[in-house]
């Protein structure tokens, strides 16, 4: 399972070459020295518009500015306040797009998740290609086309275009606040659970695996997760592997045309907290931190599911207790209230709702393929406790209370997360078998018992 860095570089180079959207991804020490060369390859001698926040400006923005100026380019810099952190909202994205009116500046995002998502959206709105200087290995969004922003409170992934060029200076990334690499590791860990969800959807004929994105992510995933201690220790080689893994996942989403290769129940759980603007210790909780907890929850559900056997009686019982769309609508309202979020959740849930004969056929299909599917899932997944250990070593949160989510809220989130997206996951398998409540009760009861024992 140990991936050598040269194998990884090779797979990465091939994936970048295959990308229609991204022309270059430079990951090395002191990469900023080459920013002007990379910039001019894609934007010629157009003036540059650097967008950063106070922190990322200090980390890499001011150096980027002086390197570009040294090459004789005109540069304008727009620096957002770092406190409070810039909000990933459509409103802020639109105001950044306004900076591109009446000029032909090429935007350069200097930052990590939020800054890149905002500039991605702004550049797309003005049909401008942009570059990204990554400042942390904190999430997989650098190379993805989607920009997850909130619009009137509903977090949605808006289809944009990824940057034409990405530059990751490993000295900058190693100097980022320590917890950020733990977030990136958490976002990467989610691909284990998301892969399980895709296996389920494939086996049930809902969404087939593909032969590009699936192996690109899943064949390399354990190698990308192999060095949690070195990631936490800020080792540049380990951070390079993690960064390469995260950007490769972004490319896999491009090749597949959706985020299926990267996101399942783990991300649905995280999205609920992101929409709630979950904060802890006065800061908005980072995406990768939410995904780490979402991943552990999804893996606990898998551990529970994999202990079960299914028979035709389970199908009869499930059909007798199956929720109608009306009942699901009421459950959505009970969790999300009446507003915009509930309305979107109803649409997403309607898109995947099955009942009657269709549900019956699906459940029988699962019963029939379960022995084989169960084996595939066991081979693929990492048990929750093992993952918990890996995440803890990488510096990611492993207990929901560490990100401000009580046990009760975690349990309510897990019950509601499946309503949020039309994508089929383990939450749907359990719900359609009428087992979701029982599974959630039992995994959290087991956790409380463990805590009581200390
Ligand atoms: Zn993610």
């Amino acid at each position: 399972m140990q991936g050598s860095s040269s194998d990884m570089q090779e797979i990465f180079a091939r994936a970048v070459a295959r990308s229609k959207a991204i022309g270059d991804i430079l990951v090395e020490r002191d990469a900023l020295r080459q920013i002007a060369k990379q910039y001019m390859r894609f934007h010629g001698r157009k003036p540059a518009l650097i967008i950063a926040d106070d922190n990322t400006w200090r980390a890499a923005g001011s150096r980027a500015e002086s390197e570009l100026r040294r090459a004789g380019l005109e540069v304008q810099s727009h620096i957002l306040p770092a406190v409070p952190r810039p909000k990933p909202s459509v409103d802020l994205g639109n105001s950044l797009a306004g900076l591109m009116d009446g000029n032909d500046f090429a935007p350069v995002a200097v930052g990590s998740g939020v800054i890149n998502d905002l500039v991605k959206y702004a550049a797309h709105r003005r049909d401008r290609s942009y570059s990204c200087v990554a400042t942390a290995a904190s999430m997989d969004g650098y190379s993805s086309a989607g920009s997850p922003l909130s619009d009137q409170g509903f977090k949605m992934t808006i289809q944009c275009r990824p940057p034409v060029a990405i530059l990751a200076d490993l000295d900058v990334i190693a100097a980022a606040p320590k917890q950020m690499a733990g977030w990136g590791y958490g976002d990467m860990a989610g691909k284990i659970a998301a892969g399980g969800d895709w296996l389920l959807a494939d086996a049930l004929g809902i969404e087939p695996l593909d032969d590009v994105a699936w192996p690109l992510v899943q064949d390399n995933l354990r190698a990308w997760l192999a060095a949690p201690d070195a990631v936490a220790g800020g080792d540049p080689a380990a951070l390079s592997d993690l960064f390469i893994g995260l950007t490769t996942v972004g490319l896999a989403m491009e090749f597949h045309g959706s985020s299926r290769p990267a996101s399942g129940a783990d991300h649905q759980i995280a999205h609920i907290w992101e929409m709630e603007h979950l904060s802890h210790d006065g800061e908005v909780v980072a995406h990768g931190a939410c995904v780490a907890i979402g991943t552990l929850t999804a893996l606990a559900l898998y551990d529970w599911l994999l202990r079960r056997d299914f028979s035709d009686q389970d199908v009869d019982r499930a059909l007798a207790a199956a929720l109608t769309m009306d009942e699901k609508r009421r459950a959505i309202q009970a969790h999300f209230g009446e507003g915009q979020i509930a309305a979107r959740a109803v649409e997403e849930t309607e898109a995947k709702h099955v009942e009657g004969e269709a549900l019956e056929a699906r459940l029988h299909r699962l019963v029939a393929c379960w022995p084989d599917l169960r084996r595939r899932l066991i081979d693929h997944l990492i048990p929750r406790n093992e993952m918990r250990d890996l995440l803890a070593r990488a510096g990611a949160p492993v207990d929901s209370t560490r990100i401000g989510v009580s046990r009760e809220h975690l349990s309510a989130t897990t019950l509601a997360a499946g309503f949020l997206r039309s994508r089929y996951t383990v939450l749907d398998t359990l719900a359609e078998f009428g087992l979701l409540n029982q599974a959630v009760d039992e995994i959290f009861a087991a956790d409380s018992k463990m805590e009581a024992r200390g």
Side-chain angles (χ1 to χ4, degrees):
M1 269 322 159
Q2 264 330 326
S4 87
S5 261
S6 66
D7 284 356
M8 236 181 251
Q9 297 278 3
E10 166 98 35
I11 291 161
F12 182 55
R14 276 205 306 272
V16 176
R18 188 189 181 109
S19 172
K20 290 196 175 70
I22 302 179
D24 187 39
I25 305 181
L26 183 65
V27 185
E28 56 184 58
R29 298 195 71 160
D30 202 24
L32 273 171
R33 203 164 34 92
Q34 300 182 56
I35 187 174
K37 197 168 121 206
Q38 191 197 49
Y39 177 90
M40 286 190 284
R41 217 180 116 194
F42 295 96
H43 310 292
R45 301 205 59 86
K46 274 188 192 154
L49 171 65
I50 291 179
I51 298 171
D53 69 24
D54 288 322
N55 292 336
T56 63
W57 175 256
R58 273 196 300 277
S62 88
R63 168 98 190 270
E65 185 189 65
S66 58
E67 292 284 345
L68 292 169
R69 283 203 175 131
R70 220 149 53 91
L73 294 159
E74 185 189 333
V75 187
Q76 228 179 65
S77 296
H78 184 80
I79 306 168
L80 299 161
V83 182
R85 262 193 242 164
K87 288 219 161 43
S89 70
V90 164
D91 287 345
L92 183 51
N94 283 331
S95 92
L96 295 177
L99 300 172
M100 294 167 219
D101 290 337
N103 61 53
D104 65 343
F105 287 11
V108 179
V110 177
S112 58
V114 173
I115 294 280
N116 184 50
D117 287 334
L118 288 166
V119 178
K120 187 188 296 180
Y121 171 80
H124 184 67
R125 285 303 299 263
R126 291 298 180 272
D127 199 19
R128 204 75 55 98
S129 65
Y130 84 102
S131 291
C132 172
V133 175
T135 54
S138 52
M139 45 89 232
D140 66 13
Y142 289 114
S143 50
S144 73
S147 176
L149 297 179
S150 62
D151 189 9
Q152 294 157 37
F154 194 85
K155 176 150 175 139
M156 49 189 203
T157 301
I158 302 164
Q159 281 308 300
C160 304
R161 276 192 308 273
V164 284
I166 299 173
L167 184 142
D169 186 320
L170 293 172
D171 297 306
V172 171
I173 285 180
K178 254 190 162 12
Q179 66 272 24
M180 295 186 86
W183 301 338
Y185 191 92
D187 203 10
M188 186 61 90
K191 288 22 166 183
I192 293 279
D197 292 341
W198 202 355
L199 286 172
L200 281 173
D202 175 74
L204 295 174
I206 297 164
E207 223 182 309
L209 299 185
D210 77 357
D211 52 16
V212 175
W214 172 266
L216 186 57
V217 174
Q218 298 298 337
D219 289 359
N220 305 302
L221 183 49
R222 284 179 190 246
W224 293 326
L225 293 172
D229 306 296
V231 164
D235 173 56
L239 291 172
S240 172
D241 286 351
L242 178 60
F243 189 87
I244 283 175
L246 291 166
T247 35
T248 302
V249 171
L251 295 170
M253 291 191 255
E254 177 195 331
F255 305 150
H256 188 67
S258 89
S259 62
R260 173 57 100 173
S263 128
D266 52 295
H267 269 66
Q268 292 174 356
I269 291 169
H271 287 330
I272 289 200
W273 299 327
E274 288 167 331
M275 287 191 318
E276 292 167 349
H277 306 292
L278 175 68
S279 298
H280 189 53
D281 292 341
E283 279 288 5
V284 173
V285 180
H287 173 72
C290 294
V291 174
I293 303 299
T295 299
L296 290 173
T297 308
L299 291 177
L301 292 172
Y302 272 113
D303 288 347
W304 190 91
L305 180 70
L306 292 171
R307 283 197 296 271
R308 287 193 73 94
D309 211 357
F310 286 104
S311 70
D312 290 338
Q313 282 100 296
D314 293 310
V315 176
D316 297 339
R317 205 174 320 118
L319 288 172
L323 295 187
T324 63
M325 192 53 224
D326 263 343
E327 287 166 323
K328 288 183 184 175
R329 238 175 248 124
R330 282 197 287 279
I332 289 169
Q333 254 139 31
H335 186 88
F336 296 103
E338 289 285 347
Q340 187 86 12
I341 295 178
R344 277 294 302 270
V346 166
E347 276 174 39
E348 296 281 336
T349 301
E350 273 169 348
K352 65 178 170 184
H353 175 75
V354 286
E355 57 183 34
E357 279 173 23
L359 178 60
E360 185 174 359
R362 177 181 292 178
L363 298 178
H364 277 301
R365 184 167 174 166
L366 190 118
V367 171
C369 73
W370 184 240
D372 182 51
L373 175 59
R374 183 171 171 275
R375 258 193 307 276
R376 288 188 78 186
L377 286 168
I378 288 171
D379 282 348
H380 167 80
L381 294 164
I382 294 178
R384 198 277 298 255
N385 288 343
E386 212 174 295
M387 182 62 90
R388 193 185 155 95
D389 176 57
L390 291 171
L391 287 166
R393 283 161 56 195
V398 295
D399 187 324
S400 69
T401 58
R402 295 286 303 278
I403 62 166
V405 174
S406 68
R407 184 82 62 220
E408 294 69 35
H409 191 43
L410 175 59
S411 144
T413 303
T414 310
L415 291 173
F419 293 132
L420 208 62
R421 290 284 187 276
S422 58
R423 176 163 302 151
Y424 183 93
T425 73
V426 65
L427 295 166
D428 298 299
T429 309
L430 289 165
E432 287 174 0
F433 265 100
L435 296 170
L436 184 59
N437 283 295
Q438 188 190 343
V440 169
D441 284 351
E442 289 182 18
I443 64 174
F444 294 123
D447 274 358
S448 310
K449 232 188 274 167
M450 234 169 60
E451 273 159 26
R453 276 204 307 266

